[in-house]
Amino acid sequence: MVVLIRKTHLGLSALLLAAVAGMALILWQGSGSITTFSSLTGGEPSPIVVVDPGHGGEDGGAVAADGTVESGLNLQIAQRLNDLLRFLGQVTVMTRTEDVSIYSDGAETLHQKKVSDLKNRVALVNGLEDAVLVSIHQNSLPGSPKTHGAQVFYNGLEPAPALAATVQERLNQSINTGNGKTPKRISDSIYLTKNVTAPAIIVECGFLSNGEDTAHLQEPGYQLQLAVAVAAGYLSTEETP
Ligand SMILES: [Zn+2]
């Protein structure tokens, strides 16, 4: 029996293999004393990772000059991250797996739908006994079209700051070369991360106000690089002596 594999699948399989090989290198390089995320949480079993593709449905989020919408990129990158984390043995939940807004019945205006959607995402995270939220977004700064690259933001619940630092380091090593960024505390005006009772990071993968970022963010290989950096950052924390 002949098994036919479509070219695109072959291409993606090769990418996935390269990604796994790359992650293995990242996990094993350095001091050799690599621990898992559980070390940050005091040796407890690994928490459930809530992978949250920001926006969706009527709420597209930021829009690039060429019409590329944030919510679609968030979903594609989040799905790659979710697949990688599961492949690596983590338990995950996604807040959405389609291009939808997850508002409850009764929400009518766009504002009501957005509020309801965010409340439902918070409820999902807070309904889990032991969770960590990884929210995927795209940035936009139309007043500064040259600004580009990926940046991580964190809420005030431990070990979010350390997690953000590790993920940022991986992103700086892979896609932010020559453009290293520093993780930042999320402003309290952000409803989702303010109201969750779990440590949370937001990964702003790139700038839709930057033409090059916008083009890269649509490439499967680049999306996978982002997912690998986030997954490797999540899974590996070099122990400080
Ligand atoms: Zn967003």
Side-chain angles (χ1 to χ4, degrees):
M1 197 171 122
V2 180
V3 180
L4 292 171
I5 302 173
R6 284 198 300 152
K7 240 186 183 173
T8 51
H9 286 171
L10 262 181
L12 280 176
S13 303
L15 272 175
L16 186 61
L17 265 180
V20 170
M23 182 155 356
L25 258 180
I26 289 169
L27 287 169
W28 286 101
Q29 73 185 179
S31 65
S33 57
I34 303 297
T35 56
T36 64
F37 184 84
S38 64
S39 69
L40 288 173
T41 53
E44 297 295 313
S46 290
I48 295 173
V49 188
V50 181
V51 180
D52 173 47
H55 313 280
E58 290 109 313
D59 171 21
V63 184
D66 69 355
T68 303
V69 178
E70 180 190 347
S71 57
L73 296 175
N74 294 344
L75 182 58
Q76 289 167 3
I77 295 163
Q79 277 172 327
R80 293 183 194 283
L81 174 62
N82 185 64
D83 288 349
L84 268 175
L85 287 171
R86 284 188 171 222
F87 177 75
L88 293 161
Q90 303 301 302
V91 180
T92 66
V93 176
M94 289 188 77
T95 53
R96 66 180 177 96
T97 54
E98 292 171 60
D99 184 19
V100 291
S101 175
I102 50 172
Y103 57 82
S104 305
D105 290 345
E108 281 166 19
T109 65
L110 184 59
H111 177 71
Q112 286 170 345
K113 287 175 181 175
K114 273 191 183 185
V115 170
S116 171
D117 171 282
L118 287 172
K119 280 187 176 171
N120 286 336
R121 291 184 204 228
V122 168
L124 191 156
V125 176
N126 292 355
L128 298 168
E129 201 176 311
D130 185 17
V132 59
L133 173 66
V134 179
S135 191
I136 302 295
H137 282 258
Q138 312 302 321
N139 222 328
S140 181
L141 202 54
S144 177
K146 285 187 179 166
T147 304
H148 65 283
Q151 189 169 19
V152 187
F153 296 79
Y154 55 91
N155 74 357
L157 297 175
E158 293 297 335
L163 174 59
T166 321
V167 171
Q168 185 69 64
E169 196 183 317
R170 300 303 183 221
L171 288 165
N172 288 349
Q173 286 167 346
S174 56
I175 64 155
N176 280 354
T177 43
N179 179 39
K181 293 189 184 290
T182 312
K184 281 208 177 110
R185 172 79 192 263
I186 303 166
S187 137
D188 274 346
S189 63
I190 305 297
Y191 182 89
L192 177 70
T193 44
K194 182 187 171 192
N195 288 284
V196 290
T197 52
I201 61 168
I202 295 179
V203 183
E204 299 275 3
C205 300
F207 283 79
L208 292 184
S209 43
N210 178 269
E212 243 175 86
D213 264 10
T214 302
H216 282 319
L217 288 163
Q218 297 174 69
E219 295 165 7
Y222 195 81
Q223 294 180 351
L224 198 53
Q225 264 187 297
L226 280 159
V228 167
V230 177
Y234 178 80
L235 288 165
S236 71
T237 299
E238 290 179 26
E239 263 180 321
T240 43

